[in-house]
């Protein structure tokens, strides 16, 4: 459990990077063999597809020089959307850990559950509520400031 908390804390650090540049504060890290191989934070102002998960996944693929991340776990501060859930499925990540639900666009437990209820015969485990209060408060604070 200590490792899970540590890696989610690393994802939260990425979320703070997004916040510092005025982005929605979501961060992600990909872990293989107890080592972070990819990091990402939202950068959607320059490209709507630059979600934290996509950036972390792409960096991981580059670092291990393989399109398959089947021995990896991803830690995300907020539930992944449909696009990011699709990337998780296609790269065959083994475990998904996320902080808080995304009630509007969530695709890993709240609105949909594409990852666990997939048609691709992937065995991916999803764990939610990791450091949930901290992850959720980052988002609440961001949206309060924007409105």
């Amino acid at each position: 459990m200590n490792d899970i908390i540590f890696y989610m804390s690393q994802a939260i650090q990425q979320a703070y990077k997004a916040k510092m540049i005025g982005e929605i504060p979501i961060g992600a890290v990909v872990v293989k063999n107890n080592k972070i191989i990819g990091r990402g934070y939202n950068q959607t102002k320059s490209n709507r597809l630059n979600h934290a998960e996509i950036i972390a996944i792409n960096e991981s693929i580059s670092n291990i020089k393989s399109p398959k991340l089947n021995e990896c776990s991803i830690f995300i501060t907020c539930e992944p959307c449909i696009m990011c859930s699709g990337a998780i499925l296609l790269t065959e990540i083994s475990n998904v850990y996320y902080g808080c639900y995304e009630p509007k666009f969530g695709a890993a437990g709240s609105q949909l559950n594409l990852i666990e209820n997939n048609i691709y015969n992937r065995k991916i485990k999803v764990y939610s509520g990791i450091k949930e209060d901290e992850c959720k408060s980052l988002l609440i604070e961001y949206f309060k400031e924007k409105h």
Side-chain angles (χ1 to χ4, degrees):
M1 184 65 166
N2 286 340
D3 288 346
I4 292 168
I5 299 300
F6 172 77
Y7 293 124
M8 185 57 76
S9 296
Q10 295 298 302
I12 290 168
Q13 285 183 10
Q14 294 298 304
Y16 276 106
K17 289 181 180 181
K19 182 181 178 186
M20 289 176 65
I21 61 169
E23 291 277 358
I24 297 172
I26 297 175
V29 296
V30 177
V31 176
K32 181 176 184 175
N33 299 327
N34 296 316
K35 182 180 180 216
I36 295 175
I37 61 168
R39 300 173 192 270
Y41 56 91
N42 270 9
Q43 298 176 49
T44 59
K45 288 183 179 178
S46 62
N47 181 333
R48 297 275 323 231
L49 302 179
N50 283 344
H51 290 205
E53 301 93 313
I54 300 298
I55 294 167
I57 288 170
N58 281 332
E59 184 175 292
S60 300
I61 288 168
S62 292
N63 284 337
I64 67 167
K65 296 176 181 28
S66 172
K68 288 196 175 194
L69 302 174
N70 58 331
E71 296 176 7
C72 299
S73 296
I74 189 166
F75 294 80
I76 315 160
T77 57
C78 185
E79 178 183 4
C81 68
I82 292 171
M83 176 182 69
C84 295
S85 293
I88 290 165
L89 283 166
L90 290 172
T91 57
E92 301 180 28
I93 289 174
S94 299
N95 300 293
V96 176
Y97 297 88
Y98 68 85
C100 61
Y101 284 107
E102 209 301 355
K104 201 170 185 182
F105 297 108
S110 61
Q111 290 297 318
L112 301 167
N113 196 342
L114 294 178
I115 295 174
E116 289 182 310
N117 301 332
N118 69 76
I119 60 171
Y120 304 105
N121 199 29
R122 306 277 195 260
K123 303 293 184 228
I124 301 170
K125 295 198 187 302
V126 177
Y127 306 91
S128 61
I130 314 299
K131 294 185 72 92
E132 181 176 13
D133 291 341
E134 189 173 353
C135 295
K136 192 175 191 177
S137 63
L138 263 172
L139 292 168
I140 289 170
E141 184 180 310
Y142 172 82
F143 285 109
K144 275 185 184 175
E145 290 172 5
K146 290 293 174 192
H147 291 96

